[in-house]
PDB file of all heavy atoms in Angstrom:
ATOM      1  N   GLY A 866      -0.868  10.664 -15.697  1.00 98.00           N
ATOM      2  CA  GLY A 866      -1.284  11.710 -14.788  1.00 98.00           C
ATOM      3  C   GLY A 866      -0.102  12.533 -14.324  1.00 98.00           C
ATOM      4  O   GLY A 866       0.944  12.577 -14.978  1.00 98.00           O
ATOM      5  N   PHE A 867      -0.271  13.174 -13.160  1.00 98.00           N
ATOM      6  CA  PHE A 867       0.740  14.095 -12.659  1.00 98.00           C
ATOM      7  C   PHE A 867       0.952  13.940 -11.166  1.00 98.00           C
ATOM      8  O   PHE A 867       0.048  13.549 -10.433  1.00 98.00           O
ATOM      9  CB  PHE A 867       0.329  15.539 -12.960  1.00 98.00           C
ATOM     10  CG  PHE A 867       0.265  15.828 -14.428  1.00 98.00           C
ATOM     11  CD1 PHE A 867      -0.927  15.684 -15.119  1.00 98.00           C
ATOM     12  CD2 PHE A 867       1.405  16.207 -15.114  1.00 98.00           C
ATOM     13  CE1 PHE A 867      -0.985  15.918 -16.482  1.00 98.00           C
ATOM     14  CE2 PHE A 867       1.363  16.440 -16.477  1.00 98.00           C
ATOM     15  CZ  PHE A 867       0.166  16.306 -17.166  1.00 98.00           C
ATOM     16  N   LEU A 868       2.149  14.301 -10.724  1.00 98.00           N
ATOM     17  CA  LEU A 868       2.506  14.381  -9.319  1.00 98.00           C
ATOM     18  C   LEU A 868       2.825  15.845  -9.049  1.00 98.00           C
ATOM     19  O   LEU A 868       3.725  16.413  -9.666  1.00 98.00           O
ATOM     20  CB  LEU A 868       3.725  13.513  -9.028  1.00 98.00           C
ATOM     21  CG  LEU A 868       4.369  13.637  -7.648  1.00 98.00           C
ATOM     22  CD1 LEU A 868       3.405  13.183  -6.565  1.00 98.00           C
ATOM     23  CD2 LEU A 868       5.656  12.827  -7.597  1.00 98.00           C
ATOM     24  N   SER A 869       2.062  16.456  -8.163  1.00 98.00           N
ATOM     25  CA  SER A 869       2.254  17.861  -7.826  1.00 98.00           C
ATOM     26  C   SER A 869       2.681  17.965  -6.372  1.00 98.00           C
ATOM     27  O   SER A 869       2.023  17.422  -5.484  1.00 98.00           O
ATOM     28  CB  SER A 869       0.948  18.627  -8.036  1.00 98.00           C
ATOM     29  OG  SER A 869       1.048  19.939  -7.539  1.00 98.00           O
ATOM     30  N   VAL A 870       3.781  18.677  -6.141  1.00 98.00           N
ATOM     31  CA  VAL A 870       4.288  18.862  -4.791  1.00 98.00           C
ATOM     32  C   VAL A 870       4.374  20.358  -4.519  1.00 98.00           C
ATOM     33  O   VAL A 870       4.996  21.098  -5.281  1.00 98.00           O
ATOM     34  CB  VAL A 870       5.682  18.216  -4.622  1.00 98.00           C
ATOM     35  CG1 VAL A 870       6.231  18.471  -3.229  1.00 98.00           C
ATOM     36  CG2 VAL A 870       5.617  16.726  -4.911  1.00 98.00           C
ATOM     37  N   SER A 871       3.715  20.784  -3.445  1.00 97.00           N
ATOM     38  CA  SER A 871       3.836  22.170  -2.988  1.00 97.00           C
ATOM     39  C   SER A 871       4.388  22.125  -1.570  1.00 97.00           C
ATOM     40  O   SER A 871       4.628  21.044  -1.020  1.00 97.00           O
ATOM     41  CB  SER A 871       2.478  22.882  -3.023  1.00 97.00           C
ATOM     42  OG  SER A 871       1.648  22.417  -1.981  1.00 97.00           O
ATOM     43  N   THR A 872       4.564  23.262  -0.959  1.00 94.00           N
ATOM     44  CA  THR A 872       5.087  23.285   0.408  1.00 94.00           C
ATOM     45  C   THR A 872       4.087  22.723   1.408  1.00 94.00           C
ATOM     46  O   THR A 872       4.469  22.318   2.495  1.00 94.00           O
ATOM     47  CB  THR A 872       5.472  24.722   0.818  1.00 94.00           C
ATOM     48  OG1 THR A 872       4.322  25.555   0.683  1.00 94.00           O
ATOM     49  CG2 THR A 872       6.614  25.240  -0.019  1.00 94.00           C
ATOM     50  N   LYS A 873       2.803  22.671   1.034  1.00 96.00           N
ATOM     51  CA  LYS A 873       1.765  22.240   1.967  1.00 96.00           C
ATOM     52  C   LYS A 873       1.061  20.938   1.590  1.00 96.00           C
ATOM     53  O   LYS A 873       0.308  20.395   2.395  1.00 96.00           O
ATOM     54  CB  LYS A 873       0.706  23.333   2.105  1.00 96.00           C
ATOM     55  CG  LYS A 873       1.260  24.615   2.667  1.00 96.00           C
ATOM     56  CD  LYS A 873       0.178  25.636   2.846  1.00 96.00           C
ATOM     57  CE  LYS A 873       0.777  26.965   3.169  1.00 96.00           C
ATOM     58  NZ  LYS A 873       0.707  27.347   4.525  1.00 96.00           N
ATOM     59  N   LYS A 874       1.285  20.439   0.345  1.00 98.00           N
ATOM     60  CA  LYS A 874       0.481  19.298  -0.093  1.00 98.00           C
ATOM     61  C   LYS A 874       1.154  18.531  -1.226  1.00 98.00           C
ATOM     62  O   LYS A 874       1.818  19.119  -2.065  1.00 98.00           O
ATOM     63  CB  LYS A 874      -0.879  19.812  -0.577  1.00 98.00           C
ATOM     64  CG  LYS A 874      -1.894  18.752  -0.884  1.00 98.00           C
ATOM     65  CD  LYS A 874      -3.209  19.427  -1.248  1.00 98.00           C
ATOM     66  CE  LYS A 874      -4.343  18.457  -1.291  1.00 98.00           C
ATOM     67  NZ  LYS A 874      -5.607  19.116  -1.598  1.00 98.00           N
ATOM     68  N   ILE A 875       0.933  17.211  -1.223  1.00 98.00           N
ATOM     69  CA  ILE A 875       1.325  16.346  -2.334  1.00 98.00           C
ATOM     70  C   ILE A 875       0.039  15.837  -2.966  1.00 98.00           C
ATOM     71  O   ILE A 875      -0.812  15.285  -2.272  1.00 98.00           O
ATOM     72  CB  ILE A 875       2.167  15.146  -1.863  1.00 98.00           C
ATOM     73  CG1 ILE A 875       3.445  15.608  -1.181  1.00 98.00           C
ATOM     74  CG2 ILE A 875       2.471  14.210  -3.033  1.00 98.00           C
ATOM     75  CD1 ILE A 875       4.210  14.485  -0.486  1.00 98.00           C
ATOM     76  N   THR A 876      -0.087  16.034  -4.271  1.00 98.00           N
ATOM     77  CA  THR A 876      -1.259  15.538  -4.986  1.00 98.00           C
ATOM     78  C   THR A 876      -0.807  14.624  -6.108  1.00 98.00           C
ATOM     79  O   THR A 876       0.021  15.011  -6.940  1.00 98.00           O
ATOM     80  CB  THR A 876      -2.084  16.696  -5.584  1.00 98.00           C
ATOM     81  OG1 THR A 876      -2.491  17.572  -4.531  1.00 98.00           O
ATOM     82  CG2 THR A 876      -3.312  16.170  -6.313  1.00 98.00           C
ATOM     83  N   VAL A 877      -1.346  13.416  -6.120  1.00 98.00           N
ATOM     84  CA  VAL A 877      -1.150  12.495  -7.228  1.00 98.00           C
ATOM     85  C   VAL A 877      -2.476  12.486  -7.981  1.00 98.00           C
ATOM     86  O   VAL A 877      -3.503  12.067  -7.437  1.00 98.00           O
ATOM     87  CB  VAL A 877      -0.795  11.072  -6.753  1.00 98.00           C
ATOM     88  CG1 VAL A 877      -0.609  10.151  -7.944  1.00 98.00           C
ATOM     89  CG2 VAL A 877       0.449  11.097  -5.865  1.00 98.00           C
ATOM     90  N   LEU A 878      -2.458  12.987  -9.205  1.00 98.00           N
ATOM     91  CA  LEU A 878      -3.653  13.046 -10.044  1.00 98.00           C
ATOM     92  C   LEU A 878      -3.441  12.090 -11.211  1.00 98.00           C
ATOM     93  O   LEU A 878      -2.704  12.400 -12.145  1.00 98.00           O
ATOM     94  CB  LEU A 878      -3.898  14.472 -10.544  1.00 98.00           C
ATOM     95  CG  LEU A 878      -5.117  14.673 -11.439  1.00 98.00           C
ATOM     96  CD1 LEU A 878      -6.395  14.224 -10.739  1.00 98.00           C
ATOM     97  CD2 LEU A 878      -5.230  16.122 -11.858  1.00 98.00           C
ATOM     98  N   ALA A 879      -4.061  10.919 -11.125  1.00 98.00           N
ATOM     99  CA  ALA A 879      -3.860   9.865 -12.116  1.00 98.00           C
ATOM    100  C   ALA A 879      -5.024   9.805 -13.094  1.00 98.00           C
ATOM    101  O   ALA A 879      -6.165  10.091 -12.739  1.00 98.00           O
ATOM    102  CB  ALA A 879      -3.728   8.517 -11.410  1.00 98.00           C
ATOM    103  N   ASP A 880      -4.700   9.432 -14.328  1.00 96.00           N
ATOM    104  CA  ASP A 880      -5.768   9.193 -15.299  1.00 96.00           C
ATOM    105  C   ASP A 880      -6.619   8.014 -14.826  1.00 96.00           C
ATOM    106  O   ASP A 880      -7.837   8.085 -14.821  1.00 96.00           O
ATOM    107  CB  ASP A 880      -5.190   8.898 -16.684  1.00 96.00           C
ATOM    108  CG  ASP A 880      -4.457  10.093 -17.282  1.00 96.00           C
ATOM    109  OD1 ASP A 880      -4.771  11.246 -16.902  1.00 96.00           O
ATOM    110  OD2 ASP A 880      -3.562   9.885 -18.107  1.00 96.00           O
ATOM    111  N   LYS A 881      -5.948   6.939 -14.418  1.00 96.00           N
ATOM    112  CA  LYS A 881      -6.614   5.756 -13.855  1.00 96.00           C
ATOM    113  C   LYS A 881      -5.744   5.248 -12.717  1.00 96.00           C
ATOM    114  O   LYS A 881      -4.525   5.359 -12.762  1.00 96.00           O
ATOM    115  CB  LYS A 881      -6.766   4.655 -14.900  1.00 96.00           C
ATOM    116  CG  LYS A 881      -7.689   5.011 -16.028  1.00 96.00           C
ATOM    117  CD  LYS A 881      -7.817   3.866 -17.004  1.00 96.00           C
ATOM    118  CE  LYS A 881      -8.712   4.289 -18.164  1.00 96.00           C
ATOM    119  NZ  LYS A 881      -8.843   3.239 -19.161  1.00 96.00           N
ATOM    120  N   ALA A 882      -6.377   4.673 -11.710  1.00 97.00           N
ATOM    121  CA  ALA A 882      -5.630   4.107 -10.589  1.00 97.00           C
ATOM    122  C   ALA A 882      -6.449   3.007  -9.927  1.00 97.00           C
ATOM    123  O   ALA A 882      -7.675   3.064  -9.896  1.00 97.00           O
ATOM    124  CB  ALA A 882      -5.294   5.185  -9.565  1.00 97.00           C
ATOM    125  N   VAL A 883      -5.738   2.014  -9.410  1.00 97.00           N
ATOM    126  CA  VAL A 883      -6.372   0.919  -8.685  1.00 97.00           C
ATOM    127  C   VAL A 883      -5.442   0.525  -7.547  1.00 97.00           C
ATOM    128  O   VAL A 883      -4.218   0.474  -7.718  1.00 97.00           O
ATOM    129  CB  VAL A 883      -6.678  -0.283  -9.620  1.00 97.00           C
ATOM    130  CG1 VAL A 883      -5.439  -0.854 -10.248  1.00 97.00           C
ATOM    131  CG2 VAL A 883      -7.452  -1.360  -8.899  1.00 97.00           C
ATOM    132  N   TRP A 884      -6.014   0.294  -6.350  1.00 97.00           N
ATOM    133  CA  TRP A 884      -5.216  -0.167  -5.226  1.00 97.00           C
ATOM    134  C   TRP A 884      -4.704  -1.574  -5.505  1.00 97.00           C
ATOM    135  O   TRP A 884      -5.395  -2.385  -6.129  1.00 97.00           O
ATOM    136  CB  TRP A 884      -6.035  -0.183  -3.945  1.00 97.00           C
ATOM    137  CG  TRP A 884      -6.356   1.166  -3.414  1.00 97.00           C
ATOM    138  CD1 TRP A 884      -7.592   1.702  -3.260  1.00 97.00           C
ATOM    139  CD2 TRP A 884      -5.432   2.166  -2.972  1.00 97.00           C
ATOM    140  NE1 TRP A 884      -7.491   2.974  -2.741  1.00 97.00           N
ATOM    141  CE2 TRP A 884      -6.169   3.282  -2.558  1.00 97.00           C
ATOM    142  CE3 TRP A 884      -4.035   2.228  -2.890  1.00 97.00           C
ATOM    143  CZ2 TRP A 884      -5.582   4.436  -2.066  1.00 97.00           C
ATOM    144  CZ3 TRP A 884      -3.440   3.380  -2.396  1.00 97.00           C
ATOM    145  CH2 TRP A 884      -4.201   4.463  -1.987  1.00 97.00           C
ATOM    146  N   ALA A 885      -3.528  -1.878  -5.019  1.00 97.00           N
ATOM    147  CA  ALA A 885      -2.935  -3.203  -5.218  1.00 97.00           C
ATOM    148  C   ALA A 885      -3.857  -4.312  -4.721  1.00 97.00           C
ATOM    149  O   ALA A 885      -3.978  -5.355  -5.363  1.00 97.00           O
ATOM    150  CB  ALA A 885      -1.583  -3.281  -4.513  1.00 97.00           C
ATOM    151  N   ASP A 886      -4.549  -4.068  -3.599  1.00 95.00           N
ATOM    152  CA  ASP A 886      -5.417  -5.122  -3.062  1.00 95.00           C
ATOM    153  C   ASP A 886      -6.731  -5.265  -3.829  1.00 95.00           C
ATOM    154  O   ASP A 886      -7.513  -6.167  -3.558  1.00 95.00           O
ATOM    155  CB  ASP A 886      -5.671  -4.938  -1.574  1.00 95.00           C
ATOM    156  CG  ASP A 886      -6.398  -3.647  -1.224  1.00 95.00           C
ATOM    157  OD1 ASP A 886      -6.768  -2.886  -2.135  1.00 95.00           O
ATOM    158  OD2 ASP A 886      -6.593  -3.394  -0.022  1.00 95.00           O
ATOM    159  N   GLU A 887      -6.983  -4.397  -4.802  1.00 96.00           N
ATOM    160  CA  GLU A 887      -8.168  -4.514  -5.664  1.00 96.00           C
ATOM    161  C   GLU A 887      -7.873  -5.276  -6.953  1.00 96.00           C
ATOM    162  O   GLU A 887      -8.788  -5.598  -7.711  1.00 96.00           O
ATOM    163  CB  GLU A 887      -8.702  -3.127  -6.037  1.00 96.00           C
ATOM    164  CG  GLU A 887      -9.196  -2.317  -4.877  1.00 96.00           C
ATOM    165  CD  GLU A 887      -9.563  -0.892  -5.256  1.00 96.00           C
ATOM    166  OE1 GLU A 887      -9.091  -0.380  -6.292  1.00 96.00           O
ATOM    167  OE2 GLU A 887     -10.336  -0.288  -4.505  1.00 96.00           O
ATOM    168  N   VAL A 888      -6.597  -5.558  -7.201  1.00 97.00           N
ATOM    169  CA  VAL A 888      -6.192  -6.214  -8.452  1.00 97.00           C
ATOM    170  C   VAL A 888      -6.576  -7.685  -8.418  1.00 97.00           C
ATOM    171  O   VAL A 888      -6.279  -8.392  -7.448  1.00 97.00           O
ATOM    172  CB  VAL A 888      -4.669  -6.066  -8.683  1.00 97.00           C
ATOM    173  CG1 VAL A 888      -4.214  -6.889  -9.874  1.00 97.00           C
ATOM    174  CG2 VAL A 888      -4.303  -4.607  -8.854  1.00 97.00           C
ATOM    175  N   ASP A 889      -7.232  -8.140  -9.467  1.00 96.00           N
ATOM    176  CA  ASP A 889      -7.509  -9.560  -9.664  1.00 96.00           C
ATOM    177  C   ASP A 889      -6.253 -10.144 -10.313  1.00 96.00           C
ATOM    178  O   ASP A 889      -6.019  -9.966 -11.510  1.00 96.00           O
ATOM    179  CB  ASP A 889      -8.734  -9.752 -10.561  1.00 96.00           C
ATOM    180  CG  ASP A 889      -9.078 -11.196 -10.824  1.00 96.00           C
ATOM    181  OD1 ASP A 889      -8.182 -12.068 -10.726  1.00 96.00           O
ATOM    182  OD2 ASP A 889     -10.247 -11.464 -11.136  1.00 96.00           O
ATOM    183  N   VAL A 890      -5.417 -10.794  -9.513  1.00 96.00           N
ATOM    184  CA  VAL A 890      -4.107 -11.244  -9.969  1.00 96.00           C
ATOM    185  C   VAL A 890      -4.224 -12.231 -11.130  1.00 96.00           C
ATOM    186  O   VAL A 890      -3.490 -12.114 -12.119  1.00 96.00           O
ATOM    187  CB  VAL A 890      -3.301 -11.859  -8.799  1.00 96.00           C
ATOM    188  CG1 VAL A 890      -2.003 -12.475  -9.289  1.00 96.00           C
ATOM    189  CG2 VAL A 890      -3.017 -10.790  -7.753  1.00 96.00           C
ATOM    190  N   SER A 891      -5.138 -13.178 -11.056  1.00 96.00           N
ATOM    191  CA  SER A 891      -5.256 -14.152 -12.154  1.00 96.00           C
ATOM    192  C   SER A 891      -5.704 -13.474 -13.449  1.00 96.00           C
ATOM    193  O   SER A 891      -5.225 -13.818 -14.532  1.00 96.00           O
ATOM    194  CB  SER A 891      -6.182 -15.314 -11.782  1.00 96.00           C
ATOM    195  OG  SER A 891      -7.470 -14.849 -11.475  1.00 96.00           O
ATOM    196  N   ASP A 892      -6.589 -12.489 -13.344  1.00 96.00           N
ATOM    197  CA  ASP A 892      -7.002 -11.730 -14.530  1.00 96.00           C
ATOM    198  C   ASP A 892      -5.824 -10.942 -15.095  1.00 96.00           C
ATOM    199  O   ASP A 892      -5.599 -10.928 -16.307  1.00 96.00           O
ATOM    200  CB  ASP A 892      -8.163 -10.795 -14.191  1.00 96.00           C
ATOM    201  CG  ASP A 892      -8.565  -9.936 -15.369  1.00 96.00           C
ATOM    202  OD1 ASP A 892      -8.953 -10.506 -16.418  1.00 96.00           O
ATOM    203  OD2 ASP A 892      -8.478  -8.694 -15.255  1.00 96.00           O
ATOM    204  N   ALA A 893      -5.065 -10.284 -14.223  1.00 97.00           N
ATOM    205  CA  ALA A 893      -3.911  -9.505 -14.676  1.00 97.00           C
ATOM    206  C   ALA A 893      -2.870 -10.413 -15.328  1.00 97.00           C
ATOM    207  O   ALA A 893      -2.306 -10.074 -16.375  1.00 97.00           O
ATOM    208  CB  ALA A 893      -3.292  -8.747 -13.508  1.00 97.00           C
ATOM    209  N   GLU A 894      -2.647 -11.587 -14.756  1.00 96.00           N
ATOM    210  CA  GLU A 894      -1.691 -12.528 -15.346  1.00 96.00           C
ATOM    211  C   GLU A 894      -2.142 -12.991 -16.727  1.00 96.00           C
ATOM    212  O   GLU A 894      -1.337 -13.124 -17.642  1.00 96.00           O
ATOM    213  CB  GLU A 894      -1.474 -13.721 -14.421  1.00 96.00           C
ATOM    214  CG  GLU A 894      -0.655 -13.364 -13.207  1.00 96.00           C
ATOM    215  CD  GLU A 894      -0.565 -14.469 -12.177  1.00 96.00           C
ATOM    216  OE1 GLU A 894      -1.391 -15.422 -12.214  1.00 96.00           O
ATOM    217  OE2 GLU A 894       0.320 -14.380 -11.308  1.00 96.00           O
ATOM    218  N   SER A 895      -3.446 -13.202 -16.907  1.00 96.00           N
ATOM    219  CA  SER A 895      -3.941 -13.612 -18.225  1.00 96.00           C
ATOM    220  C   SER A 895      -3.821 -12.477 -19.244  1.00 96.00           C
ATOM    221  O   SER A 895      -3.568 -12.711 -20.417  1.00 96.00           O
ATOM    222  CB  SER A 895      -5.379 -14.130 -18.146  1.00 96.00           C
ATOM    223  OG  SER A 895      -6.270 -13.084 -17.847  1.00 96.00           O
ATOM    224  N   ARG A 896      -3.970 -11.216 -18.773  1.00 97.00           N
ATOM    225  CA  ARG A 896      -3.827 -10.076 -19.682  1.00 97.00           C
ATOM    226  C   ARG A 896      -2.389  -9.866 -20.146  1.00 97.00           C
ATOM    227  O   ARG A 896      -2.146  -9.170 -21.125  1.00 97.00           O
ATOM    228  CB  ARG A 896      -4.382  -8.808 -19.040  1.00 97.00           C
ATOM    229  CG  ARG A 896      -5.903  -8.813 -18.989  1.00 97.00           C
ATOM    230  CD  ARG A 896      -6.467  -7.515 -18.466  1.00 97.00           C
ATOM    231  NE  ARG A 896      -6.358  -7.483 -17.007  1.00 97.00           N
ATOM    232  CZ  ARG A 896      -5.819  -6.500 -16.304  1.00 97.00           C
ATOM    233  NH1 ARG A 896      -5.355  -5.427 -16.882  1.00 97.00           N
ATOM    234  NH2 ARG A 896      -5.747  -6.580 -14.983  1.00 97.00           N
ATOM    235  N   LEU A 897      -1.429 -10.481 -19.457  1.00 95.00           N
ATOM    236  CA  LEU A 897      -0.031 -10.399 -19.893  1.00 95.00           C
ATOM    237  C   LEU A 897       0.169 -11.048 -21.260  1.00 95.00           C
ATOM    238  O   LEU A 897       1.130 -10.737 -21.961  1.00 95.00           O
ATOM    239  CB  LEU A 897       0.893 -11.077 -18.881  1.00 95.00           C
ATOM    240  CG  LEU A 897       1.112 -10.361 -17.564  1.00 95.00           C
ATOM    241  CD1 LEU A 897       1.945 -11.232 -16.636  1.00 95.00           C
ATOM    242  CD2 LEU A 897       1.766  -9.004 -17.776  1.00 95.00           C
ATOM    243  N   GLN A 898      -0.744 -11.926 -21.639  1.00 95.00           N
ATOM    244  CA  GLN A 898      -0.650 -12.610 -22.935  1.00 95.00           C
ATOM    245  C   GLN A 898      -1.302 -11.830 -24.065  1.00 95.00           C
ATOM    246  O   GLN A 898      -1.283 -12.255 -25.215  1.00 95.00           O
ATOM    247  CB  GLN A 898      -1.303 -14.003 -22.835  1.00 95.00           C
ATOM    248  CG  GLN A 898      -0.796 -14.853 -21.688  1.00 95.00           C
ATOM    249  CD  GLN A 898       0.713 -14.986 -21.674  1.00 95.00           C
ATOM    250  OE1 GLN A 898       1.337 -15.210 -22.697  1.00 95.00           O
ATOM    251  NE2 GLN A 898       1.307 -14.815 -20.501  1.00 95.00           N
ATOM    252  N   SER A 899      -1.860 -10.675 -23.767  1.00 95.00           N
ATOM    253  CA  SER A 899      -2.575  -9.881 -24.757  1.00 95.00           C
ATOM    254  C   SER A 899      -1.648  -9.378 -25.859  1.00 95.00           C
ATOM    255  O   SER A 899      -0.473  -9.089 -25.631  1.00 95.00           O
ATOM    256  CB  SER A 899      -3.240  -8.675 -24.079  1.00 95.00           C
ATOM    257  OG  SER A 899      -3.831  -7.832 -25.045  1.00 95.00           O
TER     258      SER A 899
END
């Protein structure tokens, strides 16, 4: 995605995003073996 900064606003426009507290840590750890 992109980070856009203007004099009045910061916009982070991501292709995909998830809050840290939404992450299933055990699932993410298992995906490290992919």
Side-chain angles (χ1 to χ4, degrees):
F867 296 93
L868 171 64
S869 172
V870 177
S871 73
T872 57
K873 298 183 190 257
K874 188 176 192 178
I875 300 170
T876 301
V877 180
L878 180 57
D880 294 335
K881 294 181 182 178
V883 61
W884 289 118
D886 62 3
E887 296 173 339
V888 173
D889 179 336
V890 173
S891 60
D892 177 60
E894 287 173 343
S895 69
R896 287 185 281 128
L897 288 175
Q898 308 307 316
S899 175

